[in-house]
Amino acid sequence: MKKLYYSMGEVSKLTGLEPHVLRNWEKTYTQLSPKKNSAGNRVYKEQELSLLFRIKELLHEKKYSAEGVQEILNGDKEETKSQLSPQAKRDLTEVRVFLKDLLERI
């Protein structure tokens, strides 16, 4: 089920990234700017979640440098396209998290 907003904990689980990495990426990549709720907690929209998956793919899978990722996000540099769409990757990650949680309960 799609949500309007995701907490940092939920985003951390979905992406497999630690919260300190998410906070660091906010400083490194200006395109990533989640809002804060009234309690001061970060809330991520679907667009930020897609951007996180894209950054993760570029850094971890395609082995771009942080500067290279920034150039791609700015549109200054082209990248080779992934075979899976960001939505498909997100869906697969959600299934992986669900199965991992299910396995822990058994």
CSV table of all heavy atoms in Angstrom, one decimal, residues 33-72:
chain,number,residue,atom,x,y,z
A,33,SER,N,15.6,16.8,-0.3
A,33,SER,CA,15.3,17.7,0.9
A,33,SER,C,13.9,17.4,1.5
A,33,SER,O,12.9,18.0,1.2
A,33,SER,CB,15.3,19.2,0.4
A,33,SER,OG,14.4,19.3,-0.7
A,34,PRO,N,13.9,16.3,2.3
A,34,PRO,CA,12.7,15.9,2.9
A,34,PRO,C,12.2,17.0,3.9
A,34,PRO,O,13.0,17.7,4.5
A,34,PRO,CB,13.0,14.6,3.7
A,34,PRO,CG,14.5,14.7,3.9
A,34,PRO,CD,15.0,15.5,2.7
A,35,LYS,N,10.9,17.2,4.0
A,35,LYS,CA,10.3,18.1,4.9
A,35,LYS,C,10.4,17.5,6.3
A,35,LYS,O,10.6,16.4,6.5
A,35,LYS,CB,8.9,18.5,4.6
A,35,LYS,CG,8.7,18.9,3.1
A,35,LYS,CD,9.3,20.3,3.0
A,35,LYS,CE,9.1,20.8,1.6
A,35,LYS,NZ,10.1,21.5,1.0
A,36,LYS,N,10.1,18.4,7.3
A,36,LYS,CA,10.0,17.9,8.7
A,36,LYS,C,8.6,18.2,9.2
A,36,LYS,O,7.9,19.1,8.8
A,36,LYS,CB,11.0,18.7,9.6
A,36,LYS,CG,12.4,18.3,9.3
A,36,LYS,CD,13.4,18.9,10.3
A,36,LYS,CE,14.8,18.5,9.9
A,36,LYS,NZ,15.8,19.0,10.9
A,37,ASN,N,8.1,17.2,10.0
A,37,ASN,CA,6.7,17.3,10.5
A,37,ASN,C,6.8,18.3,11.7
A,37,ASN,O,7.8,18.8,12.1
A,37,ASN,CB,6.1,16.0,10.8
A,37,ASN,CG,6.9,15.2,11.9
A,37,ASN,OD1,7.7,15.8,12.6
A,37,ASN,ND2,6.6,13.9,12.0
A,38,SER,N,5.6,18.4,12.4
A,38,SER,CA,5.5,19.4,13.5
A,38,SER,C,6.4,18.9,14.7
A,38,SER,O,6.8,19.8,15.5
A,38,SER,CB,4.1,19.5,14.0
A,38,SER,OG,3.6,18.2,14.3
A,39,ALA,N,6.8,17.7,14.8
A,39,ALA,CA,7.6,17.2,15.8
A,39,ALA,C,9.1,17.3,15.5
A,39,ALA,O,10.0,17.0,16.3
A,39,ALA,CB,7.3,15.7,16.1
A,40,GLY,N,9.4,17.8,14.2
A,40,GLY,CA,10.8,18.0,13.8
A,40,GLY,C,11.4,16.7,13.2
A,40,GLY,O,12.6,16.7,12.9
A,41,ASN,N,10.6,15.7,12.9
A,41,ASN,CA,11.1,14.5,12.3
A,41,ASN,C,11.0,14.6,10.8
A,41,ASN,O,10.0,15.1,10.3
A,41,ASN,CB,10.3,13.3,12.8
A,41,ASN,CG,10.4,13.1,14.2
A,41,ASN,OD1,11.4,13.3,14.8
A,41,ASN,ND2,9.2,12.7,14.9
A,42,ARG,N,12.0,14.0,10.1
A,42,ARG,CA,11.9,14.0,8.6
A,42,ARG,C,10.8,13.1,8.1
A,42,ARG,O,10.6,12.0,8.6
A,42,ARG,CB,13.3,13.5,8.1
A,42,ARG,CG,14.4,14.5,8.3
A,42,ARG,CD,15.7,13.8,7.9
A,42,ARG,NE,16.8,14.7,8.0
A,42,ARG,CZ,17.4,15.1,9.1
A,42,ARG,NH1,17.0,14.7,10.3
A,42,ARG,NH2,18.5,15.9,9.1
A,43,VAL,N,10.1,13.6,7.1
A,43,VAL,CA,9.1,12.8,6.4
A,43,VAL,C,9.5,12.9,4.9
A,43,VAL,O,9.7,13.9,4.3
A,43,VAL,CB,7.7,13.3,6.7
A,43,VAL,CG1,7.3,13.0,8.1
A,43,VAL,CG2,7.5,14.8,6.4
A,44,TYR,N,9.5,11.7,4.3
A,44,TYR,CA,9.9,11.6,2.9
A,44,TYR,C,8.7,11.3,2.1
A,44,TYR,O,7.9,10.4,2.4
A,44,TYR,CB,10.9,10.4,2.8
A,44,TYR,CG,12.2,10.6,3.4
A,44,TYR,CD1,12.4,10.4,4.8
A,44,TYR,CD2,13.3,11.1,2.7
A,44,TYR,CE1,13.6,10.6,5.4
A,44,TYR,CE2,14.5,11.3,3.3
A,44,TYR,CZ,14.7,11.0,4.7
A,44,TYR,OH,15.9,11.2,5.3
A,45,LYS,N,8.6,12.0,1.0
A,45,LYS,CA,7.5,11.7,0.0
A,45,LYS,C,8.0,10.7,-1.0
A,45,LYS,O,9.2,10.3,-1.0
A,45,LYS,CB,7.2,13.0,-0.8
A,45,LYS,CG,6.5,14.1,0.0
A,45,LYS,CD,6.0,15.1,-1.0
A,45,LYS,CE,6.0,16.5,-0.3
A,45,LYS,NZ,5.7,17.6,-1.2
A,46,GLU,N,7.1,10.2,-1.9
A,46,GLU,CA,7.5,9.2,-2.9
A,46,GLU,C,8.6,9.7,-3.8
A,46,GLU,O,9.5,8.9,-4.1
A,46,GLU,CB,6.2,8.9,-3.7
A,46,GLU,CG,6.3,7.7,-4.6
A,46,GLU,CD,6.3,6.4,-3.7
A,46,GLU,OE1,5.6,6.4,-2.7
A,46,GLU,OE2,6.9,5.5,-4.2
A,47,GLN,N,8.7,11.0,-4.1
A,47,GLN,CA,9.7,11.6,-5.0
A,47,GLN,C,11.1,11.4,-4.3
A,47,GLN,O,12.1,11.1,-4.9
A,47,GLN,CB,9.5,13.0,-5.3
A,47,GLN,CG,8.3,13.3,-6.1
A,47,GLN,CD,7.1,13.6,-5.2
A,47,GLN,OE1,6.9,13.2,-4.1
A,47,GLN,NE2,6.1,14.4,-5.8
A,48,GLU,N,11.2,11.7,-3.0
A,48,GLU,CA,12.4,11.6,-2.3
A,48,GLU,C,12.9,10.1,-2.2
A,48,GLU,O,14.0,9.8,-2.3
A,48,GLU,CB,12.3,12.2,-0.9
A,48,GLU,CG,12.4,13.7,-0.8
A,48,GLU,CD,11.1,14.4,-0.5
A,48,GLU,OE1,10.2,13.7,-0.1
A,48,GLU,OE2,11.1,15.6,-0.7
A,49,LEU,N,11.9,9.3,-2.0
A,49,LEU,CA,12.2,7.8,-1.9
A,49,LEU,C,12.8,7.4,-3.3
A,49,LEU,O,13.8,6.6,-3.3
A,49,LEU,CB,10.9,7.1,-1.6
A,49,LEU,CG,11.1,5.6,-1.1
A,49,LEU,CD1,12.0,5.5,0.1
A,49,LEU,CD2,9.7,5.0,-0.7
A,50,SER,N,12.2,7.8,-4.4
A,50,SER,CA,12.7,7.4,-5.7
A,50,SER,C,14.1,8.0,-5.9
A,50,SER,O,15.0,7.3,-6.4
A,50,SER,CB,11.8,8.0,-6.8
A,50,SER,OG,10.5,7.4,-6.7
A,51,LEU,N,14.3,9.2,-5.4
A,51,LEU,CA,15.6,9.8,-5.6
A,51,LEU,C,16.7,9.0,-4.7
A,51,LEU,O,17.8,8.8,-5.2
A,51,LEU,CB,15.6,11.3,-5.1
A,51,LEU,CG,16.9,12.1,-5.3
A,51,LEU,CD1,17.4,12.1,-6.7
A,51,LEU,CD2,16.6,13.5,-4.8
A,52,LEU,N,16.3,8.6,-3.6
A,52,LEU,CA,17.2,7.8,-2.7
A,52,LEU,C,17.6,6.5,-3.4
A,52,LEU,O,18.8,6.1,-3.4
A,52,LEU,CB,16.6,7.5,-1.4
A,52,LEU,CG,16.6,8.7,-0.4
A,52,LEU,CD1,15.7,8.3,0.8
A,52,LEU,CD2,18.0,9.0,0.1
A,53,PHE,N,16.6,5.8,-4.0
A,53,PHE,CA,16.9,4.6,-4.7
A,53,PHE,C,17.9,4.9,-5.9
A,53,PHE,O,18.8,4.1,-6.2
A,53,PHE,CB,15.7,3.9,-5.2
A,53,PHE,CG,15.0,3.1,-4.1
A,53,PHE,CD1,13.8,3.5,-3.6
A,53,PHE,CD2,15.6,1.9,-3.7
A,53,PHE,CE1,13.2,2.8,-2.6
A,53,PHE,CE2,14.9,1.2,-2.7
A,53,PHE,CZ,13.7,1.6,-2.1
A,54,ARG,N,17.6,6.0,-6.6
A,54,ARG,CA,18.5,6.3,-7.7
A,54,ARG,C,19.9,6.6,-7.3
A,54,ARG,O,20.9,6.2,-7.9
A,54,ARG,CB,17.9,7.6,-8.4
A,54,ARG,CG,18.6,7.9,-9.7
A,54,ARG,CD,17.8,8.8,-10.6
A,54,ARG,NE,18.5,9.0,-11.8
A,54,ARG,CZ,18.6,10.2,-12.4
A,54,ARG,NH1,18.0,11.2,-11.9
A,54,ARG,NH2,19.2,10.3,-13.6
A,55,ILE,N,20.1,7.4,-6.2
A,55,ILE,CA,21.4,7.7,-5.7
A,55,ILE,C,22.1,6.5,-5.2
A,55,ILE,O,23.3,6.2,-5.5
A,55,ILE,CB,21.3,8.8,-4.5
A,55,ILE,CG1,20.8,10.1,-5.0
A,55,ILE,CG2,22.6,8.9,-3.8
A,55,ILE,CD1,20.4,11.1,-3.9
A,56,LYS,N,21.4,5.6,-4.5
A,56,LYS,CA,21.9,4.3,-4.1
A,56,LYS,C,22.4,3.5,-5.3
A,56,LYS,O,23.5,2.9,-5.2
A,56,LYS,CB,20.9,3.6,-3.2
A,56,LYS,CG,21.5,2.3,-2.7
A,56,LYS,CD,20.5,1.5,-1.9
A,56,LYS,CE,21.0,0.2,-1.4
A,56,LYS,NZ,20.0,-0.6,-0.7
A,57,GLU,N,21.6,3.4,-6.3
A,57,GLU,CA,22.0,2.6,-7.5
A,57,GLU,C,23.2,3.2,-8.1
A,57,GLU,O,24.2,2.5,-8.5
A,57,GLU,CB,20.8,2.7,-8.5
A,57,GLU,CG,21.2,2.0,-9.8
A,57,GLU,CD,20.2,2.2,-10.9
A,57,GLU,OE1,19.4,3.2,-10.8
A,57,GLU,OE2,20.2,1.5,-11.9
A,58,LEU,N,23.3,4.5,-8.3
A,58,LEU,CA,24.4,5.2,-8.9
A,58,LEU,C,25.7,5.0,-8.1
A,58,LEU,O,26.8,4.7,-8.6
A,58,LEU,CB,24.2,6.6,-9.1
A,58,LEU,CG,23.1,7.0,-10.2
A,58,LEU,CD1,22.8,8.5,-10.1
A,58,LEU,CD2,23.5,6.6,-11.5
A,59,LEU,N,25.6,5.1,-6.8
A,59,LEU,CA,26.8,4.9,-5.9
A,59,LEU,C,27.2,3.5,-5.7
A,59,LEU,O,28.4,3.2,-5.9
A,59,LEU,CB,26.5,5.6,-4.5
A,59,LEU,CG,26.5,7.1,-4.4
A,59,LEU,CD1,26.0,7.5,-3.1
A,59,LEU,CD2,27.9,7.7,-4.8
A,60,HIS,N,26.3,2.6,-5.4
A,60,HIS,CA,26.6,1.3,-5.0
A,60,HIS,C,26.7,0.3,-6.1
A,60,HIS,O,27.5,-0.6,-6.1
A,60,HIS,CB,25.6,0.8,-3.9
A,60,HIS,CG,25.7,1.6,-2.7
A,60,HIS,ND1,25.1,1.2,-1.5
A,60,HIS,CD2,26.2,2.8,-2.4
A,60,HIS,CE1,25.3,2.1,-0.5
A,60,HIS,NE2,25.9,3.1,-1.1
A,61,GLU,N,25.8,0.4,-7.1
A,61,GLU,CA,25.7,-0.6,-8.2
A,61,GLU,C,26.6,-0.1,-9.4
A,61,GLU,O,27.3,-0.9,-9.9
A,61,GLU,CB,24.3,-0.8,-8.6
A,61,GLU,CG,23.5,-1.5,-7.5
A,61,GLU,CD,22.0,-1.6,-7.8
A,61,GLU,OE1,21.7,-1.6,-9.1
A,61,GLU,OE2,21.2,-1.6,-6.9
A,62,LYS,N,26.4,1.1,-9.7
A,62,LYS,CA,27.1,1.6,-10.9
A,62,LYS,C,28.5,2.2,-10.6
A,62,LYS,O,29.2,2.6,-11.5
A,62,LYS,CB,26.3,2.6,-11.7
A,62,LYS,CG,25.0,1.9,-12.2
A,62,LYS,CD,24.3,2.8,-13.2
A,62,LYS,CE,23.1,2.1,-13.8
A,62,LYS,NZ,22.4,2.9,-14.7
A,63,LYS,N,28.8,2.3,-9.3
A,63,LYS,CA,30.1,2.8,-8.8
A,63,LYS,C,30.5,4.2,-9.2
A,63,LYS,O,31.6,4.5,-9.4
A,63,LYS,CB,31.2,1.8,-9.2
A,63,LYS,CG,30.9,0.4,-8.8
A,63,LYS,CD,30.8,0.2,-7.3
A,63,LYS,CE,30.7,-1.3,-7.0
A,63,LYS,NZ,30.2,-1.5,-5.6
A,64,TYR,N,29.5,5.1,-9.3
A,64,TYR,CA,29.8,6.5,-9.6
A,64,TYR,C,30.3,7.1,-8.3
A,64,TYR,O,30.0,6.7,-7.2
A,64,TYR,CB,28.5,7.3,-10.0
A,64,TYR,CG,28.2,7.1,-11.5
A,64,TYR,CD1,27.2,6.1,-11.8
A,64,TYR,CD2,28.7,7.9,-12.4
A,64,TYR,CE1,26.9,5.9,-13.1
A,64,TYR,CE2,28.3,7.8,-13.8
A,64,TYR,CZ,27.4,6.8,-14.1
A,64,TYR,OH,27.0,6.6,-15.4
A,65,SER,N,31.1,8.2,-8.5
A,65,SER,CA,31.6,9.0,-7.3
A,65,SER,C,30.5,9.9,-6.9
A,65,SER,O,29.5,10.1,-7.6
A,65,SER,CB,32.8,9.8,-7.7
A,65,SER,OG,32.5,10.8,-8.7
A,66,ALA,N,30.6,10.5,-5.7
A,66,ALA,CA,29.6,11.4,-5.2
A,66,ALA,C,29.5,12.6,-6.2
A,66,ALA,O,28.4,13.1,-6.5
A,66,ALA,CB,29.9,11.9,-3.9
A,67,GLU,N,30.6,13.0,-6.8
A,67,GLU,CA,30.6,14.1,-7.7
A,67,GLU,C,29.9,13.7,-9.0
A,67,GLU,O,29.1,14.5,-9.6
A,67,GLU,CB,32.0,14.6,-8.0
A,67,GLU,CG,32.7,15.3,-6.9
A,67,GLU,CD,33.3,14.3,-5.9
A,67,GLU,OE1,33.4,13.0,-6.2
A,67,GLU,OE2,33.6,14.7,-4.7
A,68,GLY,N,30.1,12.5,-9.4
A,68,GLY,CA,29.5,12.0,-10.6
A,68,GLY,C,28.0,11.9,-10.5
A,68,GLY,O,27.2,12.2,-11.4
A,69,VAL,N,27.5,11.4,-9.3
A,69,VAL,CA,26.1,11.3,-9.0
A,69,VAL,C,25.5,12.7,-9.1
A,69,VAL,O,24.4,13.0,-9.7
A,69,VAL,CB,25.8,10.7,-7.6
A,69,VAL,CG1,24.4,10.8,-7.3
A,69,VAL,CG2,26.3,9.2,-7.7
A,70,GLN,N,26.2,13.7,-8.5
A,70,GLN,CA,25.7,15.1,-8.5
A,70,GLN,C,25.6,15.6,-9.9
A,70,GLN,O,24.6,16.3,-10.2
A,70,GLN,CB,26.6,16.0,-7.6
A,70,GLN,CG,26.1,17.4,-7.4
A,70,GLN,CD,24.8,17.4,-6.6
A,70,GLN,OE1,24.7,16.8,-5.6
A,70,GLN,NE2,23.8,18.1,-7.1
A,71,GLU,N,26.5,15.3,-10.7
A,71,GLU,CA,26.5,15.8,-12.1
A,71,GLU,C,25.3,15.1,-12.9
A,71,GLU,O,24.6,15.8,-13.6
A,71,GLU,CB,27.7,15.4,-12.9
A,71,GLU,CG,28.9,16.2,-12.5
A,71,GLU,CD,30.2,15.8,-13.1
A,71,GLU,OE1,30.2,14.9,-14.0
A,71,GLU,OE2,31.3,16.3,-12.7
A,72,ILE,N,25.0,13.9,-12.6
A,72,ILE,CA,23.9,13.2,-13.2
A,72,ILE,C,22.6,13.8,-12.7
A,72,ILE,O,21.7,14.1,-13.5
A,72,ILE,CB,23.9,11.7,-12.9
A,72,ILE,CG1,25.1,11.0,-13.7
A,72,ILE,CG2,22.6,11.0,-13.3
A,72,ILE,CD1,25.4,9.6,-13.3
